[in-house]
Amino acid sequence: KNEVEQSPQNLTAQEGEFITINCSYSVGISALHWLQQHPGGGIVSLFMLSSGKKKHGRLIATINIQEKHSSLHITASHPRDSAVYICAPSSSNSGYALNFGKGTSLLVTP
Amino acid sequence: EPEVTQTPSHQVTQMGQEVILRCVPISNHLYFYWYRQILGQKVEFLVSFYNNEISEKSEIFDDQFSVERPDGSNFTLKIRSTKLEDSAMYFCASSEMGGYNEQFFGPGTRLTVL
């Protein structure tokens, strides 16, 4: 079974700060997904990556396949970024199901 | 923009009753998934479905659960005899293909078993 560890579990930042959330997993994967879960419960896919780096607006995701590690960065954080950020590897061995981490709860204060 | 829809948004049922949760995936997607999230816990995978059959299921997806794609648009999760511990938010998701595509999630159905 792929063990997924995220750090930190909780994070409070001031508006404008640069934020990093880390994810480690134990078993080789097909892809790594980053998702955002809003306070109301809805889940939104942010990134799906299998190598290198992706950028979308103020969000950047990187992955190191050899080290089994991924990071999500938020530049110039804003209170509307407050949410739970979840790392979820997937593998062809498990029908591409997402194996969700416990998430990082982010609060950005004005 | 296409989206995954789920009905109902909230279902309350008595223990032992059968419930059917409904999902309409994005129309050109081929892979379908059910996940659940018990309050305060992480999201857990239940089952994936492709080409009209289950492609993978978790230990949670025991004999009381079943999935079906009864027509070209709906994807359903049936729980035959609900237990208190089935109370959770159930999310449906779909993706265009399998591993190298994003999964798009519905808004969820909150199931409360009394």
Side-chain angles (χ1 to χ4, degrees):
Chain A
K1 186 177 175 176
N2 205 348
E3 301 294 330
V4 182
E5 295 288 336
Q6 282 187 240
S7 63
Q9 288 186 343
N10 297 284
L11 181 56
T12 300
Q14 289 273 336
E15 183 173 355
E17 283 186 21
F18 180 85
I19 289 162
T20 295
I21 299 169
N22 294 300
C23 173
S24 297
Y25 51 93
S26 59
V27 177
I29 60 172
S30 300
L32 190 289
H33 299 248
W34 282 100
L35 308 110
Q36 180 190 56
Q37 187 167 31
H38 299 288
I43 298 173
V44 175
S45 175
L46 299 175
F47 293 103
M48 192 278 305
L49 65 165
S50 54
S51 65
K53 175 178 172 178
K54 284 190 176 180
K55 185 175 188 289
H56 185 254
R58 295 180 294 106
L59 302 179
I60 302 165
T62 63
I63 189 168
N64 185 318
I65 294 291
Q66 286 73 28
E67 294 187 3
K68 297 185 176 62
H69 180 269
S70 177
S71 293
L72 176 69
H73 307 283
I74 305 174
T75 62
S77 58
H78 189 278
R80 65 175 175 266
D81 297 327
S82 298
V84 176
Y85 292 84
I86 306 169
C87 159
S90 67
S91 169
S92 59
N93 295 336
S94 56
Y96 304 112
L98 301 190
N99 182 13
F100 282 73
K102 292 181 180 178
T104 293
S105 181
L106 171 65
L107 175 65
V108 182
T109 58
Chain B
E1 184 173 327
E3 59 182 16
V4 177
T5 59
Q6 289 185 244
T7 54
S9 57
H10 191 188
Q11 173 95 45
V12 181
T13 190
Q14 294 288 330
M15 191 169 56
Q17 294 297 303
E18 175 183 287
V19 294
I20 297 176
L21 310 183
R22 290 182 167 80
C23 168
V24 179
I26 294 173
S27 61
N28 64 332
H29 285 189
L30 301 178
Y31 284 77
F32 314 116
Y33 309 84
W34 283 102
Y35 297 87
R36 79 171 186 191
Q37 186 175 33
I38 294 170
L39 189 64
Q41 297 187 21
K42 69 176 185 175
V43 178
E44 301 171 290
F45 166 70
L46 293 177
V47 65
S48 58
F49 192 86
Y50 169 70
N51 200 25
N52 281 322
E53 61 183 24
I54 291 173
S55 53
E56 193 71 30
K57 61 182 180 179
S58 71
E59 295 169 352
I60 303 167
F61 194 88
D62 60 22
D63 291 344
Q64 69 160 345
F65 290 92
S66 62
V67 288
E68 195 176 35
R69 189 156 162 80
D71 54 43
S73 58
N74 289 283
F75 179 50
T76 62
L77 174 70
K78 182 193 289 187
I79 310 175
R80 265 181 264 287
S81 178
T82 50
K83 305 185 183 77
L84 295 176
E85 54 265 36
D86 293 328
S87 295
M89 181 76 92
Y90 288 80
F91 292 101
C92 172
S94 69
S95 67
E96 192 172 349
M97 292 296 290
Y100 296 99
N101 287 149
E102 290 179 84
Q103 292 186 20
F104 292 82
F105 285 77
T109 292
R110 179 162 296 285
L111 176 64
T112 302
V113 182
L114 303 176

